[in-house]
Amino acid sequence: MTFGRSGAASVVLNVGGARYSLSRELLKDFPLRRVSRLHGCRSERDVLEVCDDYDRERNEYFFDRHSEAFGFILLYVRGHGKLRFAPRMCELSFYNEMIYWGLEGAHLEYCCQRRLDDRMSDTYTFYSADEPGALGRDEARPGGAEAAHSRRWLERMRRTFEEPTSSLAAQILASVSVVFVIVSMVVLCASTLPDWRAAAADNRSLDDRSRYSAGPGREPSGIIEAICIGWFTAECIVRFIVSKNKCEFVKRPLNIIDLLAITPYYISVLMTVFTGENSQLQRAGVTLRVLRMMRIFWVIKLARHFIGLQTLGLTLKRCYREMVMLLVFICVAMAIFSALSQLLEHGLDLETSNKDFASIPAACWWVIISMTTVGYGDMYPITMPGRILGGVCVVSGIVLLALPITFIYHSFVQCYHELKFRSARYSRSVSAEFLN
């Protein structure tokens, strides 16, 4: 049972003199983490670790915080608008209030995020997502010094693996990871060369084993690949261990890509072990080649270390509506022009018809390469009405593709500046660590 006056159906939050009444049932799942912690308090000591004071008779919790900032935050978590800075209040002070109540900078509107980034960059201020004073409270408890030291170590390890610009060690680790990605890509590209494959075939004829044999690899490329896979696997495991939220870690797109890049190698090894003989391995040859080509996902791992790739991913995430709109424009235009071109080139005169436009799906290929102004030249209209339609198709494609590009371009610029500001904040900490 929650600590408090028995029989009380509601609690009162007193924030800087402003009083807010909440029903006790709402406390457990309240969006603000600090408020929801009140539901689990079993003693007055637990309550005083969450708030500044408590009146048992009136069942009132006192918080010595900014009342106007809490009002803005409370409206946001109740779904009554978007979170913006309170008027006539310092951006850093408002952000400090957000951290205290359990929110992060990502909850702010983009314009306010830019203001916060600018202010932090100007004042060299760095905030942690942890609650202020949490480490100090841990140290004050029995055995809390070891817990605080462990938290600091885990946080440092997490930032070393997750934030390539957070420290000098993180930059070195990111550089090593990039080298492994480049080496694995070079080996993958080289393995498709005819001379390389011929040498590999001769090697397999001498040793009746596949490249993914369970024993030690005899080909240098196999050894290099095993080393790269070992590095990527160890990196992924360590990042999973030091992550704060394991479920959120698994759901992140980059972590899913890491899993897709690592898994094919182990599947290939297992398939080789279980198939055993070369005759059986030949049946699984197509599957193994597909799995090997999935190593191309390793290139996307570079997004952890380069702002350009991160900007591209963030832009696609924020502009999915514009991308869908662009796709709808292309599909509608393709349906119209492919039907008309098939009619003009093949449907009107069957004796002199253009065989390349025998069907609407075949005409769709011509429409898409014409609208994108690629023009392979493998198929083209031969009748005068078809050529006029082709010109209209090209001009329409230029116009339709240009309409949503402006929105995507502005979003790309905004995302780039946002990530650049974040990287600049971490770079200052790297400079201080290097000088020290």
Side-chain angles (χ1 to χ4, degrees):
M1 182 177 178
T2 305
F3 176 78
R5 184 164 57 89
S6 60
S10 63
V11 298
V12 177
L13 304 181
N14 191 317
V15 182
R19 302 174 79 247
Y20 303 89
S21 180
L22 297 175
S23 63
R24 189 172 292 276
E25 289 75 12
L26 292 178
L27 280 182
K28 182 178 181 181
D29 299 322
F30 199 75
L32 296 179
R33 185 169 62 242
R34 181 171 288 272
V35 178
S36 63
R37 284 173 57 190
L38 292 173
H39 183 272
C41 294
R42 297 294 185 269
S43 63
E44 187 172 357
R45 179 181 179 182
D46 294 338
V47 171
L48 294 179
E49 287 181 356
V50 178
C51 62
D52 297 302
D53 200 0
Y54 171 68
D55 189 340
R56 186 185 183 94
E57 295 299 326
R58 295 186 296 178
N59 206 35
E60 186 171 357
Y61 301 87
F62 294 87
F63 296 88
D64 188 14
R65 310 300 298 187
H66 197 284
S67 59
E68 188 178 3
F70 181 75
F72 274 74
I73 294 173
L74 190 61
L75 287 175
Y76 168 71
V77 298
R78 285 178 171 176
H80 296 300
K82 299 179 180 179
L83 184 58
R84 295 184 175 91
F85 289 127
R88 301 178 301 278
M89 184 175 180
C90 174
E91 292 87 353
L92 298 180
S93 298
F94 189 86
Y95 184 51
N96 190 25
E97 295 293 323
M98 290 174 55
I99 295 176
Y100 178 82
W101 294 109
L103 297 181
E104 298 178 355
H107 293 93
L108 284 169
E109 278 290 280
Y110 174 73
C111 58
C112 294
Q113 290 184 22
R114 289 288 302 276
R115 286 172 55 187
L116 180 63
D117 286 334
D118 293 341
R119 190 62 182 269
M120 285 186 171
S121 299
D122 293 338
T123 57
Y124 299 171
T125 303
F126 302 91
Y127 281 90
S128 173
D130 295 333
E131 297 179 0
L135 293 177
R137 289 196 301 269
D138 287 343
E139 292 178 351
R141 298 173 183 172
E146 296 182 1
H149 178 73
S150 177
R151 285 187 59 184
R152 290 193 188 97
W153 184 83
L154 286 176
E155 179 65 19
R156 188 177 183 85
M157 286 291 294
R158 186 191 66 80
R159 294 187 59 166
T160 300
F161 280 87
E162 296 287 350
E163 303 287 348
T165 58
S166 62
S167 64
L168 188 61
Q171 287 189 349
I172 295 175
L173 189 67
S175 301
V176 174
S177 183
V178 169
V179 170
F180 274 104
V181 171
I182 294 175
V183 169
S184 62
M185 288 297 99
V186 170
V187 171
L188 176 63
C189 295
S191 64
T192 60
L193 295 173
D195 295 340
W196 185 291
R197 285 183 293 181
D202 294 340
N203 191 17
R204 281 193 296 268
S205 64
L206 296 176
D207 185 4
D208 191 22
R209 282 180 165 184
S210 70
R211 185 164 171 247
Y212 295 103
S213 60
R218 293 179 178 270
E219 298 181 20
S221 59
I223 299 176
I224 295 174
E225 182 182 2
I227 295 174
C228 293
I229 286 290
W231 169 266
F232 296 144
T233 304
E235 181 185 14
C236 189
I237 292 175
V238 172
R239 288 176 48 248
F240 176 78
I241 293 175
V242 301
S243 62
K244 293 182 178 179
N245 190 328
K246 302 298 188 290
C247 295
E248 183 182 352
F249 177 87
V250 176
K251 294 178 182 178
R252 289 179 184 174
L254 285 179
N255 296 331
I256 295 175
I257 292 173
D258 288 345
L259 188 63
L260 291 177
I262 294 172
T263 305
Y265 176 83
Y266 295 103
I267 295 177
S268 301
V269 172
L270 291 176
M271 290 183 63
T272 304
V273 170
F274 289 126
T275 52
E277 306 244 345
N278 269 344
S279 59
Q280 295 175 340
L281 188 61
Q282 290 297 328
R283 301 186 191 125
V286 177
T287 305
L288 289 176
R289 285 194 293 270
V290 172
L291 292 175
R292 289 182 60 238
M293 282 301 131
M294 287 181 67
R295 288 181 298 169
I296 201 67
F297 284 115
W298 289 347
V299 176
I300 308 180
K301 287 175 63 68
L302 297 176
R304 297 185 184 277
H305 316 297
F306 294 101
I307 293 181
L309 292 177
Q310 295 175 14
T311 305
L312 177 61
L314 188 58
T315 303
L316 294 178
K317 179 181 179 180
R318 292 184 177 178
C319 295
Y320 73 93
R321 291 186 180 89
E322 288 77 9
M323 300 298 293
V324 171
M325 181 172 61
L326 177 61
L327 183 61
V328 170
F329 287 167
I330 294 177
C331 291
V332 171
M334 188 166 56
I336 295 174
F337 286 113
S338 60
L340 292 177
S341 61
Q342 193 274 338
L343 176 64
L344 295 177
E345 292 294 314
H346 186 79
L348 295 181
D349 191 353
L350 297 178
E351 295 182 357
T352 60
S353 61
N354 190 343
K355 301 300 182 182
D356 293 334
F357 293 81
S359 64
I360 291 181
C364 286
W365 168 250
W366 171 78
V367 172
I368 192 65
I369 63 176
S370 299
M371 291 183 65
T372 55
T373 66
V374 176
Y376 289 116
D378 54 342
M379 57 187 299
Y380 50 86
I382 57 177
T383 63
M384 184 57 65
R387 292 177 178 177
I388 295 176
L389 180 67
V392 175
C393 178
V394 172
V395 175
S396 300
I398 296 175
V399 175
L400 292 177
L401 292 175
L403 289 177
I405 291 299
T406 304
F407 300 99
I408 299 174
Y409 167 74
H410 286 299
S411 179
F412 182 86
V413 173
Q414 291 175 352
C415 293
Y416 175 74
H417 285 297
E418 178 181 345
L419 294 175
K420 189 176 180 181
F421 281 131
R422 293 179 182 177
S423 178
R425 295 207 308 267
Y426 290 124
S427 296
R428 291 190 180 94
S429 65
V430 173
S431 301
E433 180 179 349
F434 182 75
L435 292 177
N436 291 334

